[in-house]
Amino acid sequence: MNNYHWRPIMPLIVTSKVGDVTGDGFPDWIYLTANKQDPSSPYWVNISLHIKYGRTNRIETFALPENQGYNPTIWLGDFTGNGVNDVFVVFDTGGSGGILIGYIYSSIQGRMVKIFDSIQFSEQHPYQVVYTNGYKANVISDNPHKKYTLDLQYKGQEYLNEIYDSNGNLKQPIEGWVDPPSALYPIDIARNGKYDLQVLQQIAGRFHADGLGYVENLLNWDNNQFAIVRQTVAIYGEDMQ
């Protein structure tokens, strides 16, 4: 009888990058470690960020608030504009919404600190999605305070007939929602080596697969925090015959 049971082994190095993230001129080694609960699954648990500083060989470990997911990656680039690489960690949650978890760490006054957290971003920027009469849906952003009105007629008559009467009035109240970020892109808009962060969040209608479009936020570091400098809503196009 085989009594063997697989047990999680010591953390493995999942991915790594080399670059100067302190500005002292010495290359640092940035890497992620994680465990697997199931050796046949690509799902990682206990994902942790580590930085081995090139000048001192000291290793600093950062426990990530959310530390489970798929495909952990590291990207190095300058978000703050001080000419020094910041550390951008991203991984997938594996949920039906394709939601990502993202963190940015930066050397500020000689210490590596977290300057972006995708979960906190979602909590600080809530939305409401409310269907209205006349085949419309309003997407309301609390921060910044804006309203976007979507024309739902592109969804087709069958879709509209399910929720509107013949006069275009709602048969019953309907509210949707906006997902946490499903895409995070560093973008060097000015082509000067300083990156902004583009955040995409899916707008859902009656259920998750009932996508209405995306909220797109462009974030820029303003010497203290990331601030939204541009917010737009993108909708899906109607197929032309």
Side-chain angles (χ1 to χ4, degrees):
M1 181 176 179
N2 186 357
N3 293 322
Y4 172 77
H5 294 282
W6 185 86
R7 293 180 175 85
I9 61 175
M10 293 180 61
L12 303 173
I13 294 177
V14 181
T15 187
S16 67
K17 295 284 186 182
V18 174
D20 180 8
V21 297
T22 64
D24 62 7
F26 290 83
D28 307 301
W29 183 36
I30 304 94
Y31 60 101
L32 296 177
T33 62
N35 295 91
K36 277 196 173 182
Q37 291 180 323
D38 182 346
S40 63
S41 171
Y43 191 76
W44 295 94
V45 299
N46 302 323
I47 302 170
S48 298
L49 170 66
H50 311 266
I51 301 176
K52 183 177 181 180
Y53 298 107
R55 185 174 64 85
T56 63
N57 284 327
R58 180 175 68 91
I59 297 176
E60 188 171 11
T61 297
F62 302 87
L64 305 179
E66 179 66 36
N67 62 4
Q68 301 184 25
Y70 299 87
N71 190 33
T73 59
I74 297 171
W75 183 87
L76 303 181
D78 181 14
F79 286 101
T80 63
N82 63 357
V84 179
N85 286 326
D86 302 310
V87 180
F88 186 26
V89 175
V90 179
F91 49 91
D92 306 291
T93 64
S96 60
I99 295 168
L100 298 178
I101 302 295
Y103 302 105
I104 299 175
Y105 288 80
S106 179
S107 179
I108 296 178
Q109 297 181 350
R111 292 179 58 247
M112 292 297 299
V113 296
K114 177 162 61 75
I115 63 171
F116 177 79
D117 181 321
S118 62
I119 299 173
Q120 291 180 358
F121 175 83
S122 297
E123 294 171 348
Q124 294 166 356
H125 298 85
Y127 302 89
Q128 293 90 47
V129 179
V130 182
Y131 284 61
T132 66
N133 295 334
Y135 313 114
K136 302 287 198 301
N138 290 328
V139 180
I140 301 169
S141 166
D142 284 1
N143 180 24
H145 195 53
K146 293 180 179 292
K147 182 178 79 169
Y148 305 88
T149 300
L150 309 184
D151 188 334
L152 300 176
Q153 294 184 79
Y154 78 93
K155 300 282 277 186
Q157 198 59 48
E158 181 178 353
Y159 178 93
L160 298 175
N161 288 342
E162 292 178 359
I163 55 180
Y164 290 98
D165 64 21
S166 58
N167 295 316
N169 296 318
L170 282 168
K171 296 178 181 179
Q172 60 184 20
I174 299 176
E175 292 189 8
W177 68 91
V178 174
D179 276 341
S182 58
L184 300 166
Y185 300 120
I187 301 178
D188 183 3
I189 292 180
R191 296 191 297 116
N192 60 2
K194 180 181 184 293
Y195 288 83
D196 293 328
L197 183 64
Q198 186 179 36
V199 182
L200 272 63
Q201 298 172 259
Q202 180 174 299
I203 306 166
R206 296 171 297 166
F207 44 86
H208 204 275
D210 182 19
L212 304 182
Y214 284 87
V215 177
E216 300 183 357
N217 285 301
L218 185 68
L219 311 185
N220 179 272
W221 183 257
D222 66 0
N223 295 321
N224 183 49
Q225 62 182 352
F226 279 103
I228 296 176
V229 294
R230 187 177 73 212
Q231 184 183 82
T232 58
V233 166
I235 64 170
Y236 300 107
E238 180 181 4
D239 292 333
M240 301 291 290
Q241 300 297 324

